[in-house]
Amino acid sequence: MKKSLIMGAASLAIAAIPAINTFAVGTGTQTQDVTVGEVEETVYSVDIDWGDMVFDWRYDASTNAFNFTNRLICSGVGVGAESGSSSSFDGLYQDDACTEPAEEPFAGPFYGKVPSLSTIDVEDSTVNGRIKARASFSTENGYSWVTGRFSSAVYATINADGSYSFSQDLDNGYLEALAGSEGTTSFNGILYLEGDGTHITSDSVHAGDKIGTVTLTIEPDLN
């Protein structure tokens, strides 16, 4: 009985080995087909989040001229509820519409007018592949004197007047890749506008005008 059991196991092991096509041949050339097995398909999945694309035309006392700057929006600010002089609370409000200035006795939460950011955020959840994202800007008639430039939050600094400055532009408008969550990749870009210096008065622009259009191109990253 013991010997028969061992032989059975050996027979099963031999049967589990994949069959190999072997043929007796003579001289000459031989061929064998090479074929495709499984194919992993690329499934593109991209989420886009647009920031605030409204710019104010504001006066800059240091240059005695107007410039496009990110508009001010009302937002909660991290100021404690401790008492202080009224001057230390200048520019702070007690309502989320920034219409009621903070008054004594001071008590939070507080709100303030802070600059928005014209961000472009892309999250890539593509399976079996990846993408790259490129932003470009085109102007409307009457605003050809405006140039749209793209930078990243990495290069942004906020000025005393609430406007932003950028130390470096994105390479050819390609959004900067950042590490995402759960295996995704995030991309970030920020639009800012510059004039050519010829339109510097309050009469140069009108509220509600369309300045231009941002175009975001998503393409496979094959590099």
Side-chain angles (χ1 to χ4, degrees):
M1 294 293 292
K2 184 175 181 181
K3 182 177 180 180
S4 175
L5 179 61
I6 293 174
M7 291 300 293
S11 298
L12 288 173
I14 292 172
I17 299 174
I20 300 175
N21 295 327
T22 304
F23 302 95
V25 297
T27 59
T29 61
Q30 310 300 324
T31 63
Q32 174 63 44
D33 292 342
V34 179
T35 60
V36 176
E38 295 182 355
V39 176
E40 292 187 341
E41 295 185 359
T42 300
V43 180
Y44 291 102
S45 178
V46 177
D47 293 315
I48 302 172
D49 185 14
W50 296 95
D52 188 15
M53 294 293 171
V54 179
F55 290 82
D56 289 338
W57 185 239
R58 295 169 59 190
Y59 177 72
D60 183 352
S62 64
T63 60
N64 190 32
F66 282 79
N67 299 296
F68 280 116
T69 62
N70 295 92
R71 71 169 169 177
L72 299 178
I73 59 175
C74 189
S75 178
V77 293
V79 178
E82 61 273 3
S83 62
S85 66
S86 58
S87 61
S88 66
F89 289 87
D90 287 348
L92 294 181
Y93 300 84
Q94 297 183 152
D95 66 308
D96 59 7
C98 290
T99 58
E100 300 178 13
E103 299 178 349
E104 295 187 75
F106 299 116
F110 294 108
Y111 299 86
K113 294 181 180 180
V114 298
S116 62
L117 268 180
S118 44
T119 53
I120 309 167
D121 291 301
V122 176
E123 183 171 327
D124 178 24
S125 303
T126 297
V127 178
N128 298 324
R130 60 188 181 188
I131 62 98
K132 51 187 175 182
R134 181 178 183 270
S136 59
F137 180 78
S138 59
T139 57
E140 291 292 296
N141 291 334
Y143 283 89
S144 59
W145 51 276
V146 178
T147 300
R149 307 173 72 95
F150 297 93
S151 189
S152 170
V154 176
Y155 309 120
T157 57
I158 188 168
N159 303 315
D161 63 355
S163 62
Y164 284 94
S165 295
F166 300 92
S167 59
Q168 183 175 326
D169 283 353
L170 298 178
D171 183 18
N172 260 346
Y174 281 100
L175 274 57
E176 186 157 357
L178 307 169
S181 59
E182 299 180 358
T184 64
T185 302
S186 296
F187 298 85
N188 171 259
I190 299 174
L191 169 70
Y192 68 101
L193 303 180
E194 289 185 345
D196 63 3
T198 62
H199 296 68
I200 56 175
T201 69
S202 59
D203 299 327
S204 301
V205 301
H206 304 90
D209 279 359
K210 181 179 177 180
I211 305 169
T213 303
V214 175
T215 300
L216 182 63
T217 302
I218 306 295
E219 56 189 282
D221 185 357
L222 303 178
N223 295 331

